[in-house]
Amino acid sequence: MKPLVLIAAYFAAVTLPLVLSVWLGGPPRQFHQELASVLGILAFSMILVEFILSGRFKAISNGVGMDVTMRFHQVMARIALVLALVHPFLYQGTPAGGQRPWDPTRQLTITTDFFALAPGIVAWLLLTGLVVMAIGRAQLGYRYETWRLLHGLGALLIAVLLLHHTVYAGRYGSQPVMTWVWLVMTGVAVGSLLMVYLVVPWRQKAHPWRVTEVVRLTPKQWQVTVSPDGHDGLEYQAGQFVWLNVGHSPFSMKENPFSIASAPAAGPEVSFMIKELGDFTQTIGEIEPGTVGYLDGPYGNLTVDGREEPGIALIAGGVGLSPLLSMLRQLRLTGDSRRIKLIYGNRIVDQIAYREELDETLGAENVVYVLSEPPAGWQGEIGVIDGPLMDRVFSGEEFRDWAFVMCGPNVMMDVVEKHLIKRSTPARRILSERFNYD
């Protein structure tokens, strides 16, 4: 029920200004003029609600999953952009300028006041640029921290500009009731941004962590372990992730999301399996023990806690092993007797992490290693994780009754999900979480 409640809350918030505007009414206008106002109102309200869909509010992202939250955020931003782009062009043919004898209140006339129009035009251009930058972030190649700063400041500026434009140029927004509605909604949106960038870091400052260990797992993968410094640590479920900030102020933009690899039952220390990819991860090996860090979380709902299936299938690709390793460790530490099988795919043998632990914990017969570029004499599976491989590992009964948890490249998860559906695995037993954080 929680996803349905959140969806209902979203549409209630987005449509509230439109409903109130219709209720307040006004002199009749042509259909295309009213449609222009409708699109403008919806676009602005959707943009304001986008601040809440940033993924940093646990009541939302932990309820429906971070991947769902962020995908919804991305789709709604694109829809809001389309509405905003069309909005001004529907006013074609509407009288513009000053007072008309038949319109003493200027309610049927488009203003030509530069003070009222300019903020809307600037916001219109900024919104287009912000969405295009988000879609092409990977291709543009700028640093994640730079992107995050530009995205936050750009969204804040757009909200303020649209508030001004709506109140001073809008037919409905200029009415006192609607002015207050827009002020409150904009205040909530800006407040959510301040919560993420100021309030949460301020709280983190009182709960620092210290790096206790940095261990190389494979040529490009590391294990980083942190311990709470003067506090009880973090309450989390196996499979969740946090935003990790190491060696910087809690107010710094230099934080990144990483899945937790340790088990809650193992104690207050938290460990991460991190692969060298971006600017921060390429310097993991240079982190000194004792370095101060901060954690924001936990986030995500990729967990098997409270589930009752007779068995659990873990399917990992590369560094996607991290949250599944957390689950495996937690299940064993808590004495869970359910059967567990793991399929673990990599490109080359040197990328296999925690091999001894996996073999010892599960038994070699329950771990299937897959390499796309195997060395000579390789005894495991060759190729990629696909349907035929899964059919060799799991029985029809296991497809039907077990929980399947996966994490890894999107291509791998797409293939696995399609095959599970083909094998009649119920959707409620297919667990995954993936996202692009923009």
Side-chain angles (χ1 to χ4, degrees):
M1 287 299 295
K2 192 169 186 178
L4 295 178
V5 171
L6 292 173
I7 291 172
Y10 173 83
F11 284 103
V14 165
T15 58
L16 174 63
L18 180 60
V19 172
L20 291 176
S21 297
V22 172
W23 175 68
L24 291 171
R29 296 187 301 179
Q30 295 181 15
F31 173 77
H32 68 89
Q33 297 167 2
E34 290 293 351
L35 181 59
S37 293
V38 168
L39 298 186
I41 291 169
L42 287 176
F44 187 23
S45 58
M46 290 171 69
I47 289 168
L48 293 179
V49 178
E50 285 290 281
F51 285 77
I52 310 300
L53 295 176
S54 65
R56 300 299 285 266
F57 294 94
K58 299 174 186 176
I60 299 175
S61 59
N62 288 9
V64 298
M66 178 63 79
D67 56 339
V68 175
T69 302
M70 292 312 304
R71 185 57 185 160
F72 192 70
H73 171 81
Q74 294 161 358
V75 171
M76 291 300 106
R78 289 155 175 76
I79 293 176
L81 174 61
V82 171
L83 299 182
L85 290 176
V86 175
H87 160 71
F89 296 104
L90 289 176
Y91 284 116
Q92 296 295 326
T94 304
Q99 286 188 353
R100 302 296 200 277
W102 61 86
D103 184 24
T105 62
R106 294 182 61 175
Q107 288 180 306
L108 303 180
T109 302
I110 295 179
T111 181
T112 54
D113 183 359
F114 180 78
F115 175 77
L117 291 177
I121 295 171
V122 175
W124 191 83
L125 295 171
L126 283 176
L127 178 63
T128 303
L130 198 67
V131 174
V132 170
M133 289 173 63
I135 295 173
R137 177 163 67 92
Q139 290 73 23
L140 293 172
Y142 44 80
R143 294 168 62 102
Y144 171 76
E145 294 81 5
T146 303
W147 150 252
R148 187 180 172 203
L149 178 62
L150 290 175
H151 198 67
L153 292 178
L156 177 60
L157 183 57
I158 289 170
V160 173
L161 290 171
L162 286 179
L163 174 64
H164 182 283
H165 175 71
T166 301
V167 171
Y168 286 96
R171 178 193 191 192
Y172 298 104
S174 60
Q175 300 185 52
V177 172
M178 291 309 303
T179 297
W180 277 107
V181 169
W182 288 120
L183 281 170
V184 170
M185 290 185 66
T186 304
V188 171
V190 173
S192 70
L193 200 65
L194 295 177
M195 175 70 72
V196 171
Y197 288 98
L198 294 178
V199 177
V200 171
W202 181 261
R203 292 175 179 171
Q204 290 177 352
K205 191 174 182 180
H207 298 84
W209 296 71
R210 289 194 179 273
V211 176
T212 57
E213 186 179 52
V214 179
V215 177
R216 185 188 293 274
L217 299 172
T218 71
K220 292 286 186 177
Q221 295 179 112
W222 299 80
Q223 175 179 289
V224 177
T225 303
V226 297
S227 296
D229 186 3
H231 57 94
D232 295 334
L234 181 73
E235 292 186 10
Y236 66 96
Q237 294 179 309
Q240 291 188 297
F241 71 94
V242 301
W243 289 80
L244 175 65
N245 173 348
V246 176
H248 304 284
S249 162
F251 298 95
S252 171
M253 294 286 177
K254 296 181 178 180
E255 59 174 358
N256 294 271
F258 294 110
S259 294
I260 300 172
S262 53
E269 284 193 336
V270 176
S271 65
F272 306 91
M273 178 184 175
I274 301 175
K275 183 178 181 179
E276 294 181 15
L277 288 173
D279 297 311
F280 165 69
T281 56
Q282 289 179 347
T283 63
I284 288 291
E286 301 172 10
I287 298 176
E288 297 289 338
T291 302
V292 176
Y294 300 94
L295 305 185
D296 176 23
Y299 293 98
N301 65 352
L302 183 66
T303 176
V304 295
D305 289 4
R307 302 190 67 91
E308 298 180 352
E309 288 86 358
I312 300 174
L314 305 175
I315 303 175
V319 75
L321 175 69
S322 186
L324 309 190
L325 183 62
S326 177
M327 296 179 192
L328 175 60
R329 289 170 167 172
Q330 180 72 3
L331 290 168
R332 288 303 179 244
L333 286 174
T334 56
D336 196 295
S337 60
R338 284 178 290 182
R339 289 194 60 197
I340 302 173
K341 290 183 180 181
L342 168 67
I343 300 179
Y344 181 21
N346 286 284
R347 183 173 61 86
I348 59 176
V349 70
D350 286 346
Q351 293 175 338
I352 300 177
Y354 300 105
R355 187 169 186 175
E356 292 184 6
E357 178 182 349
L358 295 175
D359 288 340
E360 181 179 348
T361 303
L362 290 174
E365 70 279 4
N366 291 315
V367 184
V368 178
Y369 299 102
V370 187
L371 296 180
S372 58
E373 298 178 14
W378 171 251
Q379 298 298 312
E381 293 284 345
I382 298 174
V384 296
I385 300 175
D386 57 14
L389 170 62
M390 295 180 65
D391 287 339
R392 292 195 295 272
V393 176
F394 302 106
S395 67
E397 182 180 357
E398 290 166 346
F399 274 118
R400 186 184 66 248
D401 297 336
W402 282 27
F404 285 78
V405 190
M406 69 194 79
C407 187
N410 286 337
V411 173
M412 180 207 82
M413 291 196 289
D414 288 340
V415 170
V416 171
E417 287 181 350
K418 289 178 181 178
H419 189 71
L420 289 174
I421 293 172
K422 179 181 177 181
R423 293 301 307 264
S424 301
T425 303
R428 67 181 182 278
R429 295 201 174 106
I430 303 174
L431 311 179
S432 66
E433 191 167 66
R434 44 181 159 178
F435 66 96
N436 290 318
Y437 197 87
D438 59 16

